[in-house]
Amino acid sequence: MLSSAGRDDELPDEFYCPITMEVMTDPVLAADGFSYERRAIQEWLDSGKMTSPKTGILLESKELRGNLSLRSLIQDRARRPASINGGAAANG
């Protein structure tokens, strides 16, 4: 079910990029310990910003590491049938 903000209420908040507010497809872990969509955090850093988008604290590094565990969780959830994803179950 989509909330008024356009987010799927059934998905964990961790699936959403704090910058784009969209479900991530290529999540990466930044130096602040939070995950972001790779394209979004790279644009953030390329624009000269050296602070965490989530906390505002100065980032110790521009290093980004792929968050393969989170990507797998998101992909697994996307593959589930609607009835398992929290959709309406068939009456029967």
Side-chain angles (χ1 to χ4, degrees):
M1 173 184 295
L2 291 179
S3 69
S4 58
R7 289 175 52 150
D8 186 332
D9 290 333
E10 301 298 326
L11 296 177
D13 289 341
E14 293 79 13
F15 285 15
Y16 293 90
C17 174
I19 298 172
T20 66
M21 305 309 272
E22 296 175 356
V23 175
M24 294 182 275
T25 58
D26 188 12
V28 294
L29 193 62
D32 60 1
F34 292 99
S35 290
Y36 302 93
E37 178 64 31
R38 183 182 299 275
R39 177 191 46 79
I41 189 66
Q42 192 63 61
E43 287 177 7
W44 176 274
L45 296 171
D46 288 348
S47 73
K49 297 175 183 166
M50 282 301 299
T51 56
S52 163
K54 188 89 169 162
T55 67
I57 296 173
L58 186 65
L59 294 171
E60 294 181 16
S61 165
K62 286 185 165 187
E63 180 182 357
L64 302 174
R65 292 183 292 140
N67 191 334
L68 302 180
S69 297
L70 181 56
R71 181 172 26 186
S72 291
L73 288 171
I74 293 169
Q75 289 173 344
D76 287 348
R77 180 64 71 99
R79 286 188 205 113
R80 290 187 194 173
S83 62
I84 296 175
N85 275 335
N91 292 333

